[in-house]
Amino acid sequence: MGFHAENNVIIEALIQKYKNQGKTYAKAHSETLAVIKLLEPAHWTGITLHIYHASHPRCLELIRWFKGQGMDVTAETCPHYLLFNEKHMDKIQAFGKINPALRSKEAAEGLRPSLLAEDIDFITSDHSPRLLERKTNPNVFENSSGGPGLESILPLMYNAAVVGRGLSVVGLPVFWLPIRPAVLGSARPRGSPEPPFPLKALRGKMAHCQNEAGRA
């Protein structure tokens, strides 16, 4: 089962608070509370759980702990949570309005080590484009959430991982985009610790790619 980890009661209350204060956009979130409320029941019921669009390293800490308890849980993130932060809202305005919201610079940087540590299982686009007139109101609350991602996910991650970090072209962008989601999404017996495809081989290939990048 997959869930978008936010608490709408908290979000709506904060939005109203910010509107009353005359703010044009908010910088707050309730993601970690939603994640823990999903993880604990999933642990006791034994279901397979997937967390969409993890945007804060604290969420990954919680997920890692439950994985250590033997729980079958996966998580994803998106390029905008890895590469952008709430400070960019000053420039891009409502084009940066997404759910969950952009986080602090420290949170974005804190997500990146989770990729190679396999706390983040794969990267997705969260593709949700909007008409231009739904993203240009000076008051961010009057705009739609979401943005295009399908056409930008590969060039963004290629630029960040291969050009920026020197990883092999068959490393992070490939394994965390088309291949790993397909592997983890394969049908498998409930509670099985490994999907049918040998993830150990995938990890070995990733390690080889990282070693090759280090020699370059």
Side-chain angles (χ1 to χ4, degrees):
M1 299 181 69
F3 290 90
H4 195 288
E6 290 188 287
N7 186 305
N8 198 55
V9 174
I10 294 176
I11 290 172
E12 291 297 328
L14 287 172
I15 287 175
Q16 189 58 52
K17 174 183 176 181
Y18 292 135
K19 284 182 175 180
N20 293 341
Q21 293 175 348
K23 295 182 179 180
T24 56
Y25 65 85
K27 298 177 181 178
H29 69 91
S30 59
E31 184 179 1
T32 52
L33 177 60
V35 167
I36 194 66
K37 289 180 70 175
L38 289 167
L39 288 168
E40 188 64 13
H43 168 76
W44 288 106
T45 58
I47 67 169
T48 297
L49 180 66
H50 179 68
I51 302 297
Y52 297 123
H53 321 324
S55 66
H56 197 281
R58 174 67 176 166
C59 295
L60 279 304
E61 293 175 14
L62 295 169
I63 291 168
R64 181 170 60 248
W65 190 88
F66 276 85
K67 280 184 176 180
Q69 302 295 304
M71 184 176 169
D72 190 0
V73 54
T74 54
E76 66 184 60
T77 192
C78 307
H80 37 270
Y81 299 124
L82 294 164
L83 305 175
F84 296 93
N85 61 71
E86 61 189 11
K87 293 294 185 182
H88 290 101
M89 291 289 291
D90 295 329
K91 181 177 182 180
I92 62 178
Q93 298 294 314
F95 291 104
K97 184 186 180 186
I98 49 177
N99 294 327
L102 294 176
R103 307 305 185 200
S104 67
K105 180 181 179 182
E106 293 74 20
E109 292 175 347
L111 281 178
R112 297 167 195 168
S114 297
L115 282 170
L116 296 181
E118 298 189 35
D119 293 328
I120 295 173
D121 294 285
F122 47 89
I123 304 169
T124 61
S125 68
D126 193 20
H127 183 71
S128 184
R130 296 289 185 265
L131 294 174
L132 186 61
E133 55 264 31
R134 298 296 297 136
K135 301 292 283 186
T136 51
N137 192 304
N139 187 331
V140 76
F141 298 116
E142 303 303 321
N143 294 276
S144 297
S145 295
L150 188 61
E151 62 271 65
S152 60
I153 182 172
L154 184 56
L156 280 173
M157 295 313 303
Y158 178 89
N159 186 65
V162 178
V163 178
R165 297 298 180 93
L167 289 182
S168 166
V169 70
V170 293
L172 180 64
V174 173
F175 285 112
W176 258 256
L177 298 179
I179 296 179
R180 192 176 174 95
V183 169
L184 292 173
S186 300
R188 64 187 192 271
R190 180 175 174 177
S192 173
E194 292 283 356
F197 187 94
L199 269 184
K200 290 182 180 178
L202 188 63
R203 296 185 185 112
K205 186 65 175 177
M206 276 297 300
H208 173 74
C209 292
Q210 292 158 27
N211 290 335
E212 288 297 312
R215 297 192 190 101

CSV table of all heavy atoms in Angstrom, one decimal, residues 5 49 53 65 87 94 112 122 127 145 175:
chain,number,residue,atom,x,y,z
A,5,ALA,N,2.5,11.1,2.5
A,5,ALA,CA,2.6,11.3,3.9
A,5,ALA,C,2.5,12.8,4.3
A,5,ALA,O,3.5,13.5,4.4
A,5,ALA,CB,3.9,10.7,4.4
A,49,LEU,N,4.4,-1.5,2.9
A,49,LEU,CA,4.1,-0.1,2.9
A,49,LEU,C,5.1,0.6,2.0
A,49,LEU,O,6.3,0.3,2.0
A,49,LEU,CB,4.1,0.4,4.3
A,49,LEU,CG,3.9,1.9,4.5
A,49,LEU,CD1,2.4,2.3,4.2
A,49,LEU,CD2,4.2,2.4,6.0
A,53,HIS,N,7.2,10.3,-2.1
A,53,HIS,CA,7.7,11.7,-2.0
A,53,HIS,C,8.3,12.1,-0.7
A,53,HIS,O,8.0,13.2,-0.2
A,53,HIS,CB,6.7,12.7,-2.4
A,53,HIS,CG,5.8,12.3,-3.5
A,53,HIS,ND1,6.2,11.5,-4.6
A,53,HIS,CD2,4.4,12.5,-3.8
A,53,HIS,CE1,5.2,11.3,-5.4
A,53,HIS,NE2,4.1,11.9,-4.9
A,65,TRP,N,14.5,2.8,10.9
A,65,TRP,CA,14.3,2.1,12.2
A,65,TRP,C,13.3,0.9,12.0
A,65,TRP,O,13.5,-0.2,12.5
A,65,TRP,CB,13.8,3.0,13.3
A,65,TRP,CG,13.9,2.4,14.6
A,65,TRP,CD1,14.9,2.4,15.5
A,65,TRP,CD2,12.8,1.7,15.3
A,65,TRP,NE1,14.5,1.8,16.7
A,65,TRP,CE2,13.2,1.3,16.5
A,65,TRP,CE3,11.5,1.4,14.9
A,65,TRP,CZ2,12.4,0.6,17.4
A,65,TRP,CZ3,10.7,0.7,15.8
A,65,TRP,CH2,11.2,0.3,17.0
A,87,LYS,N,14.3,28.2,0.1
A,87,LYS,CA,14.8,29.5,-0.3
A,87,LYS,C,14.5,29.8,-1.7
A,87,LYS,O,14.5,31.0,-2.1
A,87,LYS,CB,16.3,29.6,0.0
A,87,LYS,CG,16.7,29.5,1.5
A,87,LYS,CD,16.2,30.8,2.2
A,87,LYS,CE,16.7,30.8,3.7
A,87,LYS,NZ,16.2,32.0,4.4
A,94,ALA,N,5.2,30.5,-7.0
A,94,ALA,CA,4.2,29.4,-7.0
A,94,ALA,C,4.7,28.2,-7.8
A,94,ALA,O,4.1,27.1,-7.7
A,94,ALA,CB,2.9,29.9,-7.4
A,112,ARG,N,20.4,13.5,0.6
A,112,ARG,CA,21.3,12.9,-0.5
A,112,ARG,C,22.1,11.7,0.0
A,112,ARG,O,22.2,10.7,-0.8
A,112,ARG,CB,22.3,14.0,-1.0
A,112,ARG,CG,21.5,15.1,-1.7
A,112,ARG,CD,22.4,16.4,-1.9
A,112,ARG,NE,21.5,17.5,-2.2
A,112,ARG,CZ,22.0,18.8,-2.2
A,112,ARG,NH1,23.3,19.0,-2.0
A,112,ARG,NH2,21.2,19.8,-2.5
A,122,PHE,N,14.1,4.6,-4.4
A,122,PHE,CA,14.2,5.1,-5.8
A,122,PHE,C,13.7,6.5,-5.9
A,122,PHE,O,13.2,7.1,-4.9
A,122,PHE,CB,13.4,4.2,-6.8
A,122,PHE,CG,12.0,3.8,-6.4
A,122,PHE,CD1,10.9,4.6,-6.7
A,122,PHE,CD2,11.8,2.6,-5.7
A,122,PHE,CE1,9.7,4.2,-6.4
A,122,PHE,CE2,10.5,2.2,-5.3
A,122,PHE,CZ,9.5,3.0,-5.7
A,127,HIS,N,5.1,13.8,-11.4
A,127,HIS,CA,4.7,14.6,-12.5
A,127,HIS,C,3.2,15.0,-12.4
A,127,HIS,O,2.3,14.2,-12.3
A,127,HIS,CB,4.8,13.7,-13.8
A,127,HIS,CG,4.5,14.5,-15.1
A,127,HIS,ND1,5.2,15.5,-15.6
A,127,HIS,CD2,3.4,14.3,-15.9
A,127,HIS,CE1,4.7,15.9,-16.7
A,127,HIS,NE2,3.6,15.3,-16.9
A,145,SER,N,-1.1,23.2,-6.6
A,145,SER,CA,0.1,22.5,-6.2
A,145,SER,C,0.5,21.6,-7.4
A,145,SER,O,-0.3,21.1,-8.1
A,145,SER,CB,0.0,21.7,-5.0
A,145,SER,OG,-0.3,22.6,-3.9
A,175,PHE,N,20.0,3.2,-12.1
A,175,PHE,CA,19.5,2.2,-11.2
A,175,PHE,C,18.4,2.8,-10.3
A,175,PHE,O,17.6,2.0,-9.8
A,175,PHE,CB,20.7,1.6,-10.4
A,175,PHE,CG,21.5,0.7,-11.1
A,175,PHE,CD1,22.8,1.0,-11.5
A,175,PHE,CD2,21.0,-0.5,-11.5
A,175,PHE,CE1,23.6,0.1,-12.2
A,175,PHE,CE2,21.8,-1.4,-12.3
A,175,PHE,CZ,23.1,-1.1,-12.6
